[in-house]
Amino acid sequence: QAMYTQASTFPRCKLAMTSIVQRRLSTKSDQRFVSDLGSRPGIDDLASGGIAAISACERAHCWQGALAHLHALHAHRASSLGGALRSPLTTAVLPSAAAPAGVLEHSAAISACGKGHQWQMAQEVFSKMLAAAIEPNVVTYNSLINASTKASRWENALGLLSELRALGIEPTTITYNTIISACSKGRRWEQSVELLREMQAVGVPPNIITITALISGLEKVQQANRALDWMSVCKNSGLQLDIVLYNVSISACEKAQEWERAIDTLGSMQRDSVPPDVISFNAVASALETRHQWQCALQVLASMRRSCLEPDVITYNATMATCERSRQWHVSLALWHELLERGLVPSAITLGVVSEACDRGALWRIALHLASEGPRGGAGALAVVA
């Protein structure tokens, strides 16, 4: 921010923003674009490339660079109108004396702020945009709604939806998806369902992202039955289910302790030719943990290996815990040995499960060794067993 407050002349601002953006841009093409911008002698080049520069910053999540470019556009346009930039850029994003940039530039800058989790800065850009009599469009509102979503402000996202409707702007699938995601994060699943119903009523087509966002909200409040119902609706509507939707559906079953439905959903996933990943199997393994289904847990572990997937510490922790709670302490310890032999690093959860298994098996020497050595004592504990 201090760098921006010193940008009282355009060349200095141009140098600062070029340096900042080059450090943050993720693609070589974007880096070449900004390097080229920094080497151009003419101020007119900035106006023609302003939107591209801001968009490059947006893609790189570099909100500082986006605002610097937006500021420079205002300075250029004010200068071209015969005005002069008399105030440095401080906390006010847009100098009031400058001629405004266009809606595309502002929308891209708002999006960059949202991606950088700068909700208040995005609001500031939007407010200055309205003060400059620049009419926002649906892209502007989508960007601002996304910023609200990332800031966990679902009420603000709903308010923006009402606002754009009042202006006669038609919301898009992206608009609804973002607001449904905001409501899901805020555990407002009823509101998410209402928004989806509204989409269908007004003819805005939902997509796989819509359903995934909705099910994600249901997963947070342990509504497994509703989550699976919506998954069925999605499948019957002809939408292609993907691994993200399946995983969040399995997780919903796990949170609701519906282990049988979690296994069924994993089976549906495989039948629909959607290859499960480690996250899929871990969610099922976790669903079995509190239901003492140790044989099912071992079958899930075997199925995971048949799918050419390597179990991780989370997989072992869940499977070991299921065995231990089913009083199969010897199986739990065998899995612990396997975990160590595979070179995986046990976690605090792993050691807790092993300690419980040792307690059940009266293996107090191993328990004492783990208590004294912690995660580093795994190999030593094997020697104790030997």
Side-chain angles (χ1 to χ4, degrees), residues 345-386:
V345 179
S347 66
I349 295 175
T350 315
L351 299 185
V353 174
V354 172
S355 296
E356 291 291 335
C358 291
D359 182 58
R360 288 190 187 276
L363 301 175
W364 58 269
R365 291 173 62 196
I366 299 178
L368 286 175
H369 184 85
L370 289 173
S372 62
E373 296 295 329
R376 297 173 299 175
L382 287 179
V384 171
V385 176

Side-chain angles (χ1 to χ4, degrees), residues 78-210:
S79 176
S80 66
L81 293 175
L85 183 63
R86 292 181 288 272
S87 301
L89 178 64
T90 55
T91 56
V93 176
L94 306 179
S96 58
V103 63
L104 293 179
E105 293 93 326
H106 282 86
S107 298
I110 291 170
S111 180
C113 292
K115 291 179 179 178
H117 299 275
Q118 297 294 322
W119 173 76
Q120 291 180 322
M121 197 66 77
Q123 289 280 9
E124 180 74 11
V125 175
F126 184 69
S127 297
K128 295 291 183 178
M129 179 180 176
L130 297 180
I134 302 172
E135 292 187 5
N137 58 20
V138 70
V139 177
T140 313
Y141 274 102
N142 286 349
S143 298
L144 194 57
I145 289 169
N146 185 56
S148 300
T149 299
K150 290 186 179 296
S152 300
R153 294 179 175 271
W154 63 269
E155 306 99 324
N156 190 72
L158 287 173
L160 289 169
L161 177 61
S162 299
E163 187 176 312
L164 71 89
R165 284 195 196 117
L167 292 173
I169 301 172
E170 294 293 334
T172 64
T173 300
I174 293 175
T175 312
Y176 280 106
N177 285 356
T178 310
I179 300 174
I180 289 173
S181 179
C183 292
S184 292
K185 289 180 179 179
R187 298 174 179 270
R188 300 285 174 169
W189 67 269
E190 299 97 334
Q191 190 69 57
S192 295
V193 172
E194 184 179 329
L195 286 165
L196 180 51
R197 301 285 192 198
E198 180 182 308
M199 285 181 75
Q200 296 170 326
V202 299
V204 178
N207 57 21
I208 193 69
I209 297 174
T210 317

Side-chain angles (χ1 to χ4, degrees), residues 25-42:
L25 293 182
S26 57
T27 66
K28 291 183 178 180
S29 60
D30 288 341
Q31 291 172 354
R32 285 195 299 270
F33 175 84
V34 177
S35 296
D36 183 50
L37 177 65
S39 64
R40 293 172 183 168

